[in-house]
Amino acid sequence: MTERMIAALTQGKDESIVYSFSTVIWGSNASGILVKAYDVSDGGMSDVSSTVLSGSATVVNNVIILPAVQALIANHQYRIEVKFTADGNTFEPYILIMGEQ
């Protein structure tokens, strides 16, 4: 069993940050990467990928490099889900980010 939550972070509303993480705990040779961003502030999951994510995900060795996370709203919480396949298994870990002023 693996941990799905990668991290819980804060990010300023005017910042644009490219996050990355190693897939080693899940497996190697990651492929089929799909990244989605959701605003989970109201208890729902509103897809805000087109506003909050800029660019494409890439993988180098066993590290997935996410699109830039940007244009967050202060006091909103975001869930960035990263779906990928490694060693024949499909995983979907996530990052929680709280938007700050």
Side-chain angles (χ1 to χ4, degrees):
M1 187 168 170
T2 59
E3 178 67 34
R4 288 190 61 214
M5 187 168 73
I6 299 167
L9 308 167
T10 58
Q11 179 176 324
K13 66 180 184 63
D14 296 325
E15 296 178 322
S16 177
I17 300 175
V18 175
Y19 297 99
S20 63
F21 66 94
S22 172
T23 65
V24 172
I25 65 170
W26 295 281
S28 58
N29 302 315
S31 63
I33 302 163
L34 176 63
V35 182
K36 292 288 218 168
Y38 298 96
D39 186 331
V40 295
S41 303
D42 60 4
M45 286 187 66
S46 302
D47 188 338
V48 292
S49 301
S50 62
T51 304
V52 170
L53 302 176
S54 177
S56 301
T58 58
V59 62
V60 177
N61 297 320
N62 290 318
V63 175
I64 293 178
I65 303 163
L66 303 181
V69 177
Q70 62 184 20
L72 302 184
I73 298 171
N75 301 314
H76 280 233
Q77 186 173 47
Y78 299 87
R79 179 179 171 121
I80 312 300
E81 295 185 350
V82 184
K83 184 177 178 181
F84 65 94
T85 301
D87 294 339
N89 299 302
T90 301
F91 301 98
E92 193 172 41
Y94 61 92
I95 299 169
L96 293 178
I97 303 174
M98 177 59 79
E100 290 188 326
Q101 191 59 17

